[in-house]
Amino acid sequence: MRGFISPERAARIHGVLSRRQTDVTLVMDNIWNPHNVSAILRSCDAFGLFRIHLYYTTEKWPEMGTKSSASAKKWIERVGHESAPEMLSGFKQAGMQVIRTGFSETAKPLYDFDFTKPTAVILSNEHRGASPELIDQVAEELYIPMQGMVQSLNVSVAAAVILYEMFSQRRRAGLLDTPALSPEELEALALEWSDK
Amino acid sequence: MRGFISPERAARIHGVLSRRQTDVTLVMDNIWNPHNVSAILRSCDAFGLFRIHLYYTTEKWPEMGTKSSASAKKWIERVGHESAPEMLSGFKQAGMQVIRTGFSETAKPLYDFDFTKPTAVILSNEHRGASPELIDQVAEELYIPMQGMVQSLNVSVAAAVILYEMFSQRRRAGLLDTPALSPEELEALALEWSDK
């Protein structure tokens, strides 16, 4: 049954959907820690992602029903994958540049990428790094420009910084001023979200 | 006794110190969760802060010896405070704008602030928000421009985003190209850091 929602909540839902970016996405490549998964989802919601991809081949499918997620999972479409070629060909068909986090000699700092283009960024497992099949098939690497003595950041912190850079570039380019979703998609989703 | 360090480590220490920003800082206003405190310190190191301030009046002094800090505390000068007027007059004497995180009607989004100016940002307690005496004395408020349905971010994620925006503005302005520390300070600190 359709729930009853206030005009304020309806307007809020409409506003959020009208800022959702459908052509940028993150891939969680076997991110292991459920707190990290939840925190990353929350940042995806905060910085306007519409959909994320979950590539789980070595780690078990992440629990996302924890309280700490503050229910961000309700507001982010999640697509599961077990096949790297299938996932990557989907990105290719969508015209997306595909980038993974990494530290090789050819890696470039986050701010050198143009995130106004359709983009998928692959975030790697906390301990083992990127899955070998993704290393093989994705050449572009980005790193967070760390200036300090400690050589690593928590993956959820790294994700937030990447998402904020994407958001900032798109904001400056005016991409947030016009909905990415079509009016029909937006209305259908608004109806669905009203029931959540 | 002076430890023996490799030329690579000496160069690394020198590089990190030459990028340390001495005129921007964070204040942890009674941040309670030790994981958050550790994660924030790590981000401060990563984005080039030299010094942070710990304002603890209601929460106990944070433990920072945990493994998860990855020893970031070794590389960040920490100044403790129990008096808001003393702390704030120190910032004033240093010519710093003082800004706190907040959500009132006059709060501005993060990217509207000029972080190339000397700046102190006060990060508030996870549950209670800013301490009342800091609300009274600090008018400027910033918020992270959240685009989603969930209304809050973890404080360590918020801190990382703020620090990254500071770093980005300063990088673009060329402020990272010249050391903020004097040659004498830098050499003295390099010697001290070599022993850590």
Side-chain angles (χ1 to χ4, degrees):
Chain A
M1 203 183 84
R2 176 81 195 279
F4 183 80
I5 65 162
S6 67
E8 291 75 18
R9 186 157 175 91
R12 179 166 175 76
I13 286 173
H14 202 275
V16 167
L17 283 168
S18 69
R19 290 186 300 270
R20 281 299 199 236
Q21 303 291 297
T22 53
D23 65 344
V24 280
T25 192
L26 282 191
V27 178
M28 297 204 207
D29 171 12
N30 292 292
I31 303 283
W32 159 84
N33 183 321
H35 293 291
N36 288 337
V37 173
S38 293
I40 294 167
L41 272 176
R42 226 165 133 186
S43 297
C44 289
D45 174 63
F47 295 118
L49 259 52
F50 178 68
R51 179 186 293 127
I52 63 157
H53 297 265
L54 300 164
Y55 180 74
Y56 278 78
T57 50
T58 54
E59 298 291 336
K60 66 174 204 242
W61 188 255
E63 283 289 335
M64 283 179 286
T66 59
K67 269 192 186 168
S68 66
S69 75
S71 302
K73 69 166 180 163
K74 285 205 293 191
W75 315 112
I76 301 285
E77 231 187 70
R78 299 175 311 284
V79 184
H81 300 272
E82 292 179 355
S83 157
E86 271 180 41
M87 178 174 75
L88 296 173
S89 77
F91 295 149
K92 200 173 171 186
Q93 277 164 34
M96 289 173 162
Q97 61 177 340
V98 184
I99 306 164
R100 60 186 169 83
T101 52
F103 298 95
S104 75
E105 289 217 340
T106 54
K108 291 184 293 188
L110 177 59
Y111 49 73
D112 272 5
F113 290 91
D114 179 358
F115 293 118
T116 64
K117 294 184 190 169
T119 302
V121 172
I122 302 172
L123 282 178
S124 306
N125 175 275
E126 299 91 326
H127 303 298
R128 288 188 311 275
S131 297
E133 63 280 14
L134 295 177
I135 294 178
D136 285 349
Q137 292 171 65
V138 177
E140 287 277 25
E141 281 173 80
L142 74 72
Y143 64 87
I144 310 277
M146 288 185 285
Q147 310 298 308
M149 292 299 289
V150 179
Q151 308 260 25
S152 69
L153 284 176
N154 177 282
V155 67
S156 70
V157 166
V161 168
I162 293 168
L163 289 161
Y164 180 69
E165 175 69 25
M166 288 175 160
F167 160 80
S168 297
Q169 288 189 17
R170 290 183 158 238
R171 182 187 66 80
R172 288 193 294 261
L175 296 182
L176 308 184
D177 304 338
T178 317
L181 293 162
S182 71
E184 296 74 26
E185 288 171 316
L186 204 155
E187 289 314 318
L189 284 161
L191 208 62
E192 194 186 303
W193 283 24
S194 301
D195 264 342
K196 286 190 180 181
Chain B
M1 203 183 82
R2 176 82 196 279
F4 183 80
I5 65 163
S6 67
E8 291 75 18
R9 187 156 175 90
R12 179 165 175 76
I13 286 174
H14 202 275
V16 167
L17 283 168
S18 70
R19 291 187 299 270
R20 281 301 201 232
Q21 303 290 297
T22 53
D23 64 344
V24 280
T25 192
L26 282 190
V27 178
M28 297 205 206
D29 170 11
N30 292 292
I31 304 284
W32 160 84
N33 184 321
H35 294 291
N36 288 337
V37 173
S38 293
I40 294 168
L41 272 177
R42 224 165 133 186
S43 298
C44 289
D45 174 63
F47 295 118
L49 258 54
F50 179 69
R51 180 187 290 125
I52 64 158
H53 297 265
L54 300 164
Y55 180 74
Y56 278 78
T57 49
T58 54
E59 299 290 337
K60 67 174 204 242
W61 188 254
E63 282 289 336
M64 282 179 288
T66 59
K67 269 191 186 170
S68 66
S69 75
S71 302
K73 70 167 180 162
K74 285 205 293 190
W75 315 112
I76 301 286
E77 228 185 74
R78 299 175 311 282
V79 184
H81 300 272
E82 291 180 354
S83 157
E86 271 180 41
M87 178 174 74
L88 296 172
S89 77
F91 295 149
K92 201 174 170 185
Q93 278 165 32
M96 289 174 160
Q97 61 177 338
V98 184
I99 306 164
R100 60 186 170 84
T101 52
F103 299 95
S104 76
E105 290 217 339
T106 53
K108 292 184 293 187
L110 177 60
Y111 49 74
D112 273 5
F113 290 90
D114 179 358
F115 293 118
T116 64
K117 293 184 192 169
T119 303
V121 172
I122 302 172
L123 283 179
S124 304
N125 176 275
E126 298 92 325
H127 303 297
R128 289 188 312 275
S131 298
E133 63 279 13
L134 295 177
I135 295 179
D136 284 350
Q137 292 171 66
V138 177
E140 287 278 25
E141 281 174 81
L142 74 73
Y143 64 87
I144 310 278
M146 288 185 285
Q147 309 299 308
M149 292 299 288
V150 179
Q151 308 260 23
S152 69
L153 284 177
N154 176 282
V155 67
S156 70
V157 166
V161 168
I162 293 168
L163 288 162
Y164 180 70
E165 176 70 25
M166 288 174 160
F167 160 79
S168 298
Q169 289 189 18
R170 290 184 158 236
R171 182 186 67 80
R172 287 194 293 262
L175 294 182
L176 308 184
D177 304 337
T178 317
L181 293 163
S182 72
E184 296 73 28
E185 289 171 315
L186 205 155
E187 289 314 319
L189 285 161
L191 207 64
E192 194 186 303
W193 283 25
S194 302
D195 264 342
K196 284 190 181 181

